[in-house]
Amino acid sequence: MPEMGDGELAVDLGSGGGVPGLVLATLTPWRWILVDRGDRRVMFLRWAVRQLGLEDRVDVQLADVVDIANGDLRGLVSLVTARGFAPPGPTAECAAPLLVEQGVLVVSEPPEITGGGGEARRWPVEGLSKVGLRDLGGWTSNQATGPAGYRAMVRIGACPDRFPRRFNRQMENPLF
């Protein structure tokens, strides 16, 4: 996985209570954008960012991820994270347009799937290639709350301008 330097841009999709975006923002020197559609969640995240003194490099946006991916951040982000954001197809479709060439998407996965052979069905090569992504593989880690699974993808090609589609279209006709 490519190394990120100070000041690079990272986006957390569907930040919710701040995991992993807010947590990673406290551990890295990168600039972060935490995106969520929920008023209450965004209010909490803004409060937490102030309490942690991260206002200079963490921005919380009340927005639809599709609008963010079709906006000014398209092609500018080095790292996208997602935990419980959406099924694999919509997650890839929303994240890929944000990434720079060689940018990385890291998603949380059920630990029983990571390394168990289910990845090919959840993250098919053909589907990922439609948005310019290549699978880097998955891993698990043991945490105090139990095992956690992760999967990483890298942007190796252009993401067509037609992606991401509106979320209801993604769900009606999934990328994969």
Side-chain angles (χ1 to χ4, degrees):
M1 188 158 29
E3 286 213 16
M4 290 179 60
D6 289 0
E8 292 207 45
L9 183 59
V11 172
D12 185 36
L13 305 180
S15 295
V19 177
L22 187 59
V23 174
L24 291 171
T26 66
L27 300 173
T28 65
W30 311 327
R31 293 182 357 230
W32 280 87
I33 298 175
L34 310 180
V35 182
D36 205 284
R37 290 190 307 185
D39 260 339
R40 285 179 158 177
R41 292 183 297 264
V42 166
M43 284 176 38
F44 166 75
L45 289 169
R46 288 178 177 158
W47 172 83
V49 166
R50 282 190 308 276
Q51 293 300 306
L52 294 167
L54 299 172
E55 306 94 336
D56 60 328
R57 58 185 185 79
V58 178
D59 182 31
V60 179
Q61 293 192 12
L62 175 62
D64 187 306
V65 169
V66 170
D67 295 333
I68 297 292
N70 280 319
D72 294 342
L73 293 177
R74 190 177 184 96
L76 298 178
V77 179
S78 298
L79 173 68
V80 174
T81 59
R83 177 181 176 263
F85 169 70
T91 299
E93 185 170 335
C94 289
L98 291 167
L99 292 169
V100 297
E101 187 77 21
Q102 296 301 306
V104 176
L105 164 63
V106 178
V107 297
S108 296
E109 284 280 82
E112 64 275 4
I113 290 176
T114 306
E119 305 93 342
R121 288 187 307 277
R122 283 179 59 83
W123 302 97
V125 171
E126 312 80 45
L128 290 172
S129 68
K130 289 178 185 175
V131 291
L133 295 176
R134 180 174 54 88
D135 190 359
L136 292 174
W139 69 97
T140 59
S141 68
N142 287 316
Q143 301 174 357
T145 57
Y150 305 94
R151 182 141 224 96
M153 279 130 289
V154 62
R155 187 180 141 216
I156 57 165
C159 181
D161 289 341
R162 71 178 184 272
F163 295 116
R165 300 166 292 160
R166 299 292 333 147
F167 198 70
N168 62 344
R169 295 268 299 132
Q170 293 178 38
M171 298 309 283
E172 290 169 5
N173 185 18
L175 183 62
F176 52 86

